[in-house]
């Protein structure tokens, strides 16, 4: 009898390994298809079969999956990476497997198209414009009024996203995006948005079921690097219902509703304003927080959906779970980092994870790649969870030696 396998197209630093582990728990053998398998350390560490292939070439992927199907029983195809999720939908359609609608995923991943569809549906979003060159960026920003958010129309992980508070910052970031430093998958298209100010919230959805609504804090602008996130958010019933209603309206407007969706909001004077809709699970640490808070393993349930099994989204309990992201405050060489073992031993701490070790060069880029680790805690109460988290984080310290200046 042929082995049942789960095809994983590319991976991620945060959710890649959990998808592999969940596949094993479901009795599946994961096989990774990647343009560069070496970028995912967990593949070699877990001895995962990895095939090097151009994952931007749909025909090559179809050919490879056809070859694998001659040996294995392909139970499902999926990905933890947003930029390949439309490709997954096309592969699933070709091989008659359960999967997302690729057209819906593509229009959602294009942030300008997403904005247009949300606006047409009357969903509250920031004012926005699209630009292709520096002159248009300047004109669009003037139309909206500074400060503005400037970001690529395609992308994730806050890469290339910046708050521009004055004309100098606007010019600097435009030069960064259009001057050759930012890598564009296609022709440059820059989105300029009104700076929606207010508390940050996020919702994770499976199908058309809202699993949970959390809150978060970024490190100080101009960049949007996650600092802390908590679930459930401290909301009134009315506030929860308003975010839930807008979330479901987003699904309808974008043609989503199969599998996972993550939505981000700012609560402004207008109420919940949609900042972004992502046709995937939120990345680490959101899935871990939801499992700790409610006992729901969203990654496992996503795989069940992808292989045609029945999922189970029932809550087992209701706790408060929170994570603090460890973010450096300067560039340089990480000399030492310590205290993580003591932090992990604090009662109520669920996970302490470091992404880097001593002697690692630290070059901040203003996005998720700046993270050097995280701490996750959970308890039955929000106050207790916050106290546990703070106690653990206070035990962790590090030192960064500045890079030598030219001539030293």
């Amino acid at each position: 009898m042929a082995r049942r396998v789960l095809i994983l197209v590319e991976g991620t630093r945060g959710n890649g390994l959990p998808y592999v582990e969940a596949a094993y728990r479901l009795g599946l053998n994961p096989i990774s298809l990647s343009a560069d398998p070496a970028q995912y350390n967990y593949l070699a560490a877990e001895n995962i079969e990895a095939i090097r292939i151009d994952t931007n070439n749909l025909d090559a992927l179809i050919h490879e999956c056809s070859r694998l199907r001659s040996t294995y029983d392909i139970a499902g195809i999926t990905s933890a990476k947003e930029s390949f999720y439309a490709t997954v939908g096309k592969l699933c359609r070709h091989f008659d497997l359960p999967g997302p609608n690729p057209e819906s995923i593509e229009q959602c991943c294009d942030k300008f198209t997403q904005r247009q569809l949300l606006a047409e549906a009357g969903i509250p979003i920031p004012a926005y414009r699209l630009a292709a060159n520096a002159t248009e960026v300047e004109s669009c920003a003037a139309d909206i009024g500074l400060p503005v958010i400037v970001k690529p129309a395609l992308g994730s992980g806050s890469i290339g996203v910046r708050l521009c508070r004055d004309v100098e910052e606007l010019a600097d970031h435009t030069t960064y995006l259009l001057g050759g430093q930012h890598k564009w998958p296609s022709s440059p298209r820059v989105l300029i948005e009104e700076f929606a100010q207010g508390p940050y919230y996020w919702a994770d959805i499976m199908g058309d079921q809202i699993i949970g609504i959390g809150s978060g804090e970024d490190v100080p602008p101009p960049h949007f690097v996650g600092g802390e996130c908590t679930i459930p958010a401290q909301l009134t019933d009315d506030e929860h219902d308003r975010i839930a209603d807008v979330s479901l309206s987003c699904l309808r407007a974008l043609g989503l509703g199969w599998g996972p969706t993550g939505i981000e909001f700012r609560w402004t004077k207008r109420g919940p304003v949609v900042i972004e809709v992502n046709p995937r699970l939120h990345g680490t640490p959101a899935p871990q927080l939801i499992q700790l808070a409610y006992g729901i393993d969203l990654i496992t349930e996503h795989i069940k959906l992808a292989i045609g099994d029945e999922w189970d989204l029932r809550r087992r309990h209701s706790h408060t779970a929170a994570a603090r992201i460890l973010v450096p405050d300067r560039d340089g060489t990480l000399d030492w980092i310590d205290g993580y073992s003591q932090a992990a031993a604090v009662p109520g701490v669920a996970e302490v994870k470091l992404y880097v070790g001593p002697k690692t060069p630290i070059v901040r880029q203003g996005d998720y790649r700046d993270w050097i680790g995280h701490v996750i805690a959970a308890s039955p109460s929000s106050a207790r969870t916050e106290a546990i988290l703070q106690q653990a984080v206070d035990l962790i310290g590090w030192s960064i030696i500045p890079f030598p200046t030219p001539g030293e």
Side-chain angles (χ1 to χ4, degrees), residues 231-251:
I231 194 166
Q234 300 299 300
L235 297 166
T236 65
D237 289 345
D238 178 64
E239 290 168 340
H240 184 281
D241 290 346
R242 288 180 69 182
I243 290 177
D245 288 345
V246 173
S247 298
L248 297 178
S249 296
C250 288
L251 298 185

Side-chain angles (χ1 to χ4, degrees), residues 54-371:
D54 181 0
T55 44
N56 288 309
N57 185 328
L58 179 62
D59 289 338
L61 289 169
I62 289 173
H63 181 270
E64 185 59 33
C65 289
S66 298
R67 186 188 69 80
L68 290 169
R69 197 166 60 164
S70 67
T71 305
Y72 302 114
D73 173 14
I74 297 179
I77 302 172
T78 193
S79 177
K81 198 163 191 173
E82 177 181 305
S83 55
F84 290 93
Y85 206 49
T87 298
V88 163
K90 293 172 184 176
L91 287 171
C92 291
R93 182 176 287 176
H94 181 88
F95 291 103
D96 196 25
L97 293 167
N101 182 321
E103 290 79 20
S104 296
I105 301 299
E106 284 175 335
Q107 67 184 12
C108 186
C109 289
D110 184 318
K111 295 180 174 64
F112 179 66
T113 303
Q114 179 189 124
R115 285 272 178 263
Q116 289 180 305
L117 293 169
L118 294 177
E120 287 169 9
I123 293 168
I125 60 172
Y128 68 99
R129 302 284 191 280
L130 187 70
N133 57 54
T135 301
E136 291 179 3
V137 170
E138 185 178 346
S139 174
C140 291
D143 285 348
I144 294 171
L146 294 169
V148 291
I149 305 293
V150 180
K151 61 186 178 184
L154 286 174
S156 60
S158 295
I159 294 175
V161 180
R162 182 184 168 116
L163 171 65
C164 298
R165 295 163 286 200
D166 54 43
V167 291
E168 289 79 15
E169 289 185 349
L170 181 68
D172 286 347
H173 193 52
T174 301
T175 298
Y176 169 79
L177 288 177
L178 300 176
Q181 291 176 273
H182 180 76
K183 289 179 63 177
W184 292 91
S186 56
S187 299
R189 294 163 68 242
V190 180
L191 198 61
I192 299 92
E193 295 182 344
E194 167 195 4
F195 179 34
Q197 300 184 60
Y200 169 79
Y201 298 102
W202 51 275
D204 261 315
I205 302 167
M206 290 291 276
D208 60 359
Q209 295 188 50
I210 296 172
I211 305 302
I213 297 172
S215 59
E217 293 285 345
D218 287 319
V219 300
H223 300 290
F224 296 88
V225 182
E228 183 169 340
C229 48
T230 303
I231 194 166
Q234 300 299 300
L235 297 166
T236 65
D237 289 345
D238 178 64
E239 290 168 340
H240 184 281
D241 290 346
R242 288 180 69 182
I243 290 177
D245 288 345
V246 173
S247 298
L248 297 178
S249 296
C250 288
L251 298 185
R252 291 190 291 269
L254 298 172
L256 302 175
W258 187 97
T261 305
I263 306 180
E264 300 174 37
F265 306 86
R266 292 279 177 182
W267 193 285
T268 73
K269 295 175 183 177
R270 293 193 284 156
V273 170
V274 177
I275 301 302
E276 201 157 282
V277 180
N278 300 298
R280 55 168 170 81
L281 291 178
H282 279 122
T284 295
Q288 295 96 313
L289 296 181
I290 287 172
Q291 187 162 10
L292 289 166
Y294 304 130
I296 303 172
D297 182 348
L298 290 184
I299 291 174
T300 295
E301 301 308 324
H302 180 205
I303 293 176
K304 285 183 184 177
L305 183 66
I307 63 175
D309 283 0
E310 202 172 317
W311 61 12
D312 182 0
L313 302 176
R314 292 173 299 168
R315 293 184 178 184
R316 274 72 173 174
H317 52 252
S318 186
H319 291 170
T320 297
R324 187 79 58 82
I325 308 302
L326 306 179
V327 182
D329 63 352
R330 68 195 70 185
D331 293 352
T333 301
L334 182 64
D335 187 30
W336 57 266
I337 185 165
D338 206 357
Y340 45 89
S341 298
Q342 295 93 316
V346 173
V349 169
E351 182 176 83
V352 176
K353 187 169 184 179
L354 301 181
Y355 310 150
V356 298
K359 312 311 173 189
T360 301
I362 303 293
V363 180
R364 294 169 301 158
Q365 301 181 72
D367 54 55
Y368 80 99
R369 293 170 294 182
D370 292 354
W371 298 6

